Amino acid sequence: MGERSIIPTRIAKAWADLPLTRKGLVVVIVPLVILIGSLLTLYRASYIEARAEDDVRRAFAIQRDIYQVHALLAEAASGVRGYLLTGEERFLDPYEKADRDLPATLGRLDVAIEDRGVREAYEVFLTQADRKRAGLDDLLERARTQRSEAGLSDATRALLAANKDVLDDLRRQIDVIQELEGALLDARRERVERVRDQYLLQTAVSAVIGALGSLAAVVLFSTGIVRRVHQLEENAERLQRGAPLAAFPPATDEIGTLATKLDRASALLRAREQDLRESEERFRLVVEEVRDYGIFVLTPEGKVATWNTGAQRIKGWQADEIIGEHFSIFYPEETRAFLPAHMLARATEQGSAEDEGWRVRKDGTRFWANVIITALRDEDGVLRGFAKVTRDITERKQSEEALEEAREQAIAANLAKSEFLSRTSHELRTPMSAILGFTQVLELDSEELPESHKRAVTQISKAARHLLSLINDLLDISSIEAGGSDVALEATPLDEVLSEAHGLSAPIVKTAGLNFTLTPLGRGQTVLCDRRRTVQVILNLVTNAAKYNVDGSFISLSATEEDGRAVISVSDDGPGIAQADLPRLFTPFDRLGRDRRKGAEGSGLGLALSKRLVESMDGTISVETEEGEGATFSFTLPLAEEPQPTTVREGVADELSS
């Protein structure tokens, strides 16, 4: 029993694993082989039946031809007797006919007779027929030679009698042959009937075999292809509905492979659907739980379709109160008529639209909102609705307004400060000029003054000049901050500016006990600058270097050209500047390094004023330093379009050669 169940299972498994091409060949070949076998069987039956019928027809033909031989010989004998009795030639027509037709008839009989017994009787018959023909020939010859004699001779009568006996023997032999042929005919008829019965049976068997073969082909086709295709179709419908797939018989043919891939695709889709559902659920929970943003969906007509906790908190409506309402309800009266439609039109055309403005809560209070509306389209580009995100930024709006107000107040305070400094500086300048004037008068009569008074006058003059310098710096920086700096840009020879600044600052450097070098550009370039302000910047930088370079040995002033701009640098080998102090370097009134040089004079405005003057001439200022290794201050000025030859102003040649 185990082997019987295993073999069909193996056959079914082998059939299921067979490729569709071979299955198709089997389905086509099986009925075709059965049909060909049935046709061959039918052909063989038909052939046997035809042979049997041919045998029957041949038996009838043999009987007919034997009777025809007998009839021809009998008519020939009758004609010869008539010719013997009358002597008329017309009686010889049957004889001539027999002489003419007998060879052909006997030839057919010789071919047709196949049975051995009939053949032996036929040989006797043939001998008797030859004797009969020979006897007739003798009678005819004798009749022609004895035509003149009256009556028939005894010899002729004896020949006639012998011929009659031969004809009688021939008739008896014919009866023998007919009897034999009759027996053969009956046997052949019985054989024909038997063959017909066999033919009918074979036809029925062939029909049954053909029907069974067709049924087997249909079963093979159904079990191997159609039924499994229907199962695939059902699984495809299940896949479309998202339902689990039905179990599919294992197979490695094309349908089995397709079923396996479909099953894998189903598992992958279910996994992705599960991930998507979980992602959508997480997104829904996130959206619903977001409190700082109102996130909801609008229909293409602008009606609210969803509502989250943030929207409820910001706007005040519950979900059942607002869903189905047009979102224009959130806009104040002055913008409700046009702004909602405009926002939807922009989002439809551009994909999204953003706006900030006043919106209305359920209780009628207003809040400043940031709104983003995004068009939602399907894979075919058809508009399905809008996603709307609303954020309450009223506090930020208020903070911005407060900051703007504070900025305006700071600007106003700064302008007031600048105006105060400018007015104060001007007010201080008048008495300071008087102090300096009287000091100069006292200095003219210093020879007549006591030594203590001389020292006092010197201190007054020094303090007055320092205070005047401070007042001038205050006026300059307040003027720049107020936008009223008197900077006049013109094409100026760069080396002349360097020589002038070098000559003016050389005494300061010399007093500090430092070497002072000048490296001009030497190419005749001109820069677009305010000459006086440029010299002032260089003086500030050199003075600053000389003031703090207490342990170094030199200060250098040089110029280079980079990217179409002149770079003017002041370098020293002093203590440098700490990295922490660099952000404060150009801050007004912030004096760095006071702990290292407590006796150094200054207001803390030099570098700040220099930065503003350089920027007002379309330049930039920077510093490169490392603590303990000196510092290099550099500022840039734009080169003039047409360079002019270097000309040294009168009184500056000595400074260039020093």
Side-chain angles (χ1 to χ4, degrees):
M1 290 296 291
E3 292 182 356
R4 292 179 182 178
S5 61
I6 290 173
I7 293 175
T9 302
R10 288 179 178 176
I11 295 175
K13 181 68 169 57
W15 171 251
D17 292 341
L18 200 65
L20 290 181
T21 304
R22 297 184 181 179
K23 285 179 182 175
L25 288 175
V26 171
V27 170
V28 172
I29 288 174
V30 167
L32 185 61
V33 169
I34 295 173
L35 176 63
I36 292 174
S38 301
L39 291 176
L40 290 175
T41 302
L42 293 176
Y43 173 76
R44 183 173 179 277
S46 177
Y47 175 75
I48 294 173
E49 182 183 10
R51 287 290 303 275
E53 289 179 351
D54 288 342
D55 291 341
V56 171
R57 284 193 294 271
R58 188 167 57 253
F60 281 118
I62 290 171
Q63 291 179 350
R64 184 189 65 244
D65 288 341
I66 288 176
Y67 278 117
Q68 186 176 0
V69 170
H70 180 268
L72 289 173
L73 291 175
E75 289 177 358
S78 177
V80 169
R81 283 197 300 273
Y83 176 75
L84 289 175
L85 293 175
T86 61
E88 296 180 2
E89 293 289 334
R90 61 184 180 84
F91 285 101
L92 293 178
D93 290 339
Y95 172 80
E96 294 176 354
K97 181 180 179 184
D99 190 55
R100 186 174 59 250
D101 293 342
L102 274 176
T105 304
L106 291 174
R108 288 197 302 271
L109 285 172
D110 186 63
V111 173
I113 295 174
E114 295 179 351
D115 185 76
R116 181 177 296 178
V118 177
R119 169 63 69 177
E120 292 176 353
Y122 173 70
E123 293 294 336
V124 175
F125 171 79
L126 191 60
T127 302
Q128 293 174 346
D130 290 341
R131 286 176 57 200
K132 179 65 176 177
R133 290 177 62 189
L136 290 176
D137 291 341
D138 289 344
L139 285 174
L140 184 61
E141 183 66 27
R142 186 177 292 276
R144 286 176 177 173
T145 56
Q146 297 178 2
R147 184 176 301 171
S148 58
E149 297 179 2
L152 296 173
S153 65
D154 294 335
T156 301
R157 288 191 181 91
L159 285 173
L160 285 173
N163 262 326
K164 182 177 179 304
D165 293 337
V166 171
L167 189 60
D168 292 338
D169 293 338
L170 190 62
R171 186 180 294 110
R172 284 191 294 274
Q173 191 64 30
I174 288 173
D175 292 338
V176 172
I177 293 174
Q178 291 294 354
E179 185 178 354
L180 292 173
E181 281 294 329
L184 285 174
L185 182 60
D186 292 339
R188 288 169 179 171
R189 284 178 176 173
E190 184 180 354
R191 183 182 176 188
V192 169
E193 293 298 329
R194 187 170 64 254
V195 168
R196 284 178 178 172
D197 293 340
Q198 290 178 356
Y199 165 71
L200 291 175
L201 180 62
Q202 289 178 357
T203 302
V205 171
S206 298
V208 171
I209 292 175
L212 291 176
S214 299
L215 182 61
V218 170
V219 170
L220 289 175
F221 185 77
S222 175
T223 57
I225 300 176
V226 176
R227 180 170 58 85
R228 298 166 71 209
V229 169
H230 287 165
Q231 290 177 342
L232 277 180
E233 185 179 0
E234 292 176 0
N235 279 345
E237 292 177 355
R238 289 172 174 267
L239 182 63
Q240 185 177 5
R241 297 194 305 267
L245 302 187
F248 200 87
T252 59
D253 64 344
E254 290 87 342
I255 296 179
T257 303
L258 181 59
T260 302
K261 291 182 178 179
L262 189 64
D263 190 56
R264 291 175 182 172
S266 174
L268 181 61
L269 285 177
R270 287 198 301 271
R272 289 182 177 177
E273 287 177 357
Q274 181 65 25
D275 292 341
L276 182 60
R277 282 194 294 270
E278 292 177 356
S279 176
E280 288 177 348
E281 180 65 17
R282 288 193 299 268
F283 180 74
R284 183 186 64 80
L285 292 175
V286 169
V287 170
E288 288 183 355
E289 295 302 321
V290 168
R291 299 183 57 82
D292 294 334
Y293 292 84
I295 304 173
F296 51 94
V297 175
L298 304 176
T299 65
E301 296 78 23
K303 294 183 178 180
V304 179
T306 64
W307 198 247
N308 80 322
T309 304
Q312 177 181 332
R313 185 188 69 81
I314 293 173
K315 299 179 182 290
W317 279 278
Q318 300 290 330
D320 56 353
E321 295 175 330
I322 197 62
I323 290 179
E325 297 291 334
H326 197 273
F327 83 110
S328 59
I329 194 173
F330 307 137
Y331 288 76
E333 291 291 339
E334 61 269 19
T335 60
R336 187 175 299 170
F338 64 91
L339 189 54
H342 176 68
M343 291 289 291
L344 292 185
R346 279 179 55 199
T348 302
E349 180 180 355
Q350 302 175 8
S352 64
E354 186 174 1
D355 178 53
E356 287 189 5
W358 292 110
R359 298 295 185 268
V360 181
R361 295 188 177 93
K362 179 183 177 181
D363 58 6
T365 59
R366 295 191 177 196
F367 66 98
W368 189 264
N370 173 267
V371 176
I372 299 176
I373 299 178
T374 304
L376 304 177
R377 300 182 182 274
D378 61 16
E379 57 188 14
D380 297 324
V382 179
L383 182 66
R384 295 300 184 185
F386 301 90
K388 188 170 185 290
V389 180
T390 302
R391 183 160 57 108
D392 184 356
I393 58 172
T394 305
E395 293 182 359
R396 192 187 78 180
K397 176 71 172 174
Q398 293 172 348
S399 298
E400 290 176 352
E401 291 176 350
L403 286 174
E404 181 63 23
E405 183 178 357
R407 189 179 71 85
E408 292 177 355
Q409 291 176 356
I411 292 174
N414 189 52
L415 290 175
K417 178 205 70 173
S418 298
E419 184 178 353
F420 170 75
L421 290 175
S422 179
R423 185 180 300 114
T424 302
S425 298
H426 280 289
E427 292 297 330
L428 290 174
R429 226 171 176 183
T430 301
M432 189 57 58
S433 298
I435 293 172
L436 285 173
F438 284 114
T439 302
Q440 290 173 356
V441 172
L442 291 174
E443 287 177 344
L444 291 175
D445 298 332
S446 60
E447 295 297 332
E448 299 177 2
L449 296 176
E451 191 64 31
S452 59
H453 288 179
K454 286 182 180 180
R455 289 194 300 269
V457 170
T458 301
Q459 283 297 115
I460 293 172
S461 176
K462 184 177 180 180
R465 293 183 185 278
H466 175 69
L467 186 57
L468 183 59
S469 175
L470 174 60
I471 291 171
N472 287 334
D473 287 344
L474 286 172
L475 281 173
D476 285 338
I477 199 166
S478 62
S479 177
I480 291 173
E481 289 180 349
S485 176
D486 54 344
V487 176
L489 301 180
E490 60 180 356
T492 305
L494 177 58
D495 287 345
E496 285 189 11
V497 175
L498 295 176
S499 297
E500 182 178 351
H502 182 271
L504 292 175
S505 58
I508 300 174
V509 177
K510 186 176 181 180
T511 302
L514 302 171
N515 295 323
F516 192 21
T517 60
L518 170 63
T519 306
L521 192 57
R523 300 179 187 174
Q525 279 87 343
T526 59
V527 291
L528 194 63
C529 67
D530 185 314
R531 182 175 185 134
R532 183 175 65 84
R533 295 299 190 180
T534 304
V535 171
Q536 183 180 355
V537 170
I538 297 173
L539 286 175
N540 284 340
L541 296 178
V542 173
T543 302
N544 191 68
K547 187 187 304 181
Y548 293 101
N549 190 2
V550 294
D551 299 324
S553 60
F554 75 91
I555 295 175
S556 66
L557 174 62
S558 61
T560 58
E561 182 182 347
E562 292 181 7
D563 299 329
R565 301 179 72 85
V567 181
I568 302 168
S569 302
V570 175
S571 303
D572 65 77
D573 59 347
I577 304 170
Q579 293 294 323
D581 293 336
L582 289 178
R584 301 162 46 203
L585 196 59
F586 298 99
T587 303
F589 305 107
D590 193 353
R591 293 182 62 198
L592 303 179
R594 284 176 294 179
D595 54 342
R596 298 193 302 267
R597 191 72 184 274
K598 295 182 179 180
E601 297 179 351
S603 60
L605 292 175
L607 291 179
L609 179 59
S610 298
K611 182 176 185 297
R612 284 161 175 73
L613 288 175
V614 168
E615 290 175 349
S616 67
M617 292 185 291
D618 193 24
T620 58
I621 190 168
S622 61
V623 61
E624 294 180 5
T625 181
E626 211 158 308
E627 193 170 3
E629 296 187 8
T632 299
F633 284 84
S634 302
F635 67 95
T636 65
L637 292 174
L639 291 172
E641 293 183 1
E642 296 182 1
Q644 300 176 2
T646 302
T647 57
V648 181
R649 293 186 299 114
E650 187 176 351
V652 181
D654 295 336
E655 296 172 358
L656 284 172
S657 60
S658 63

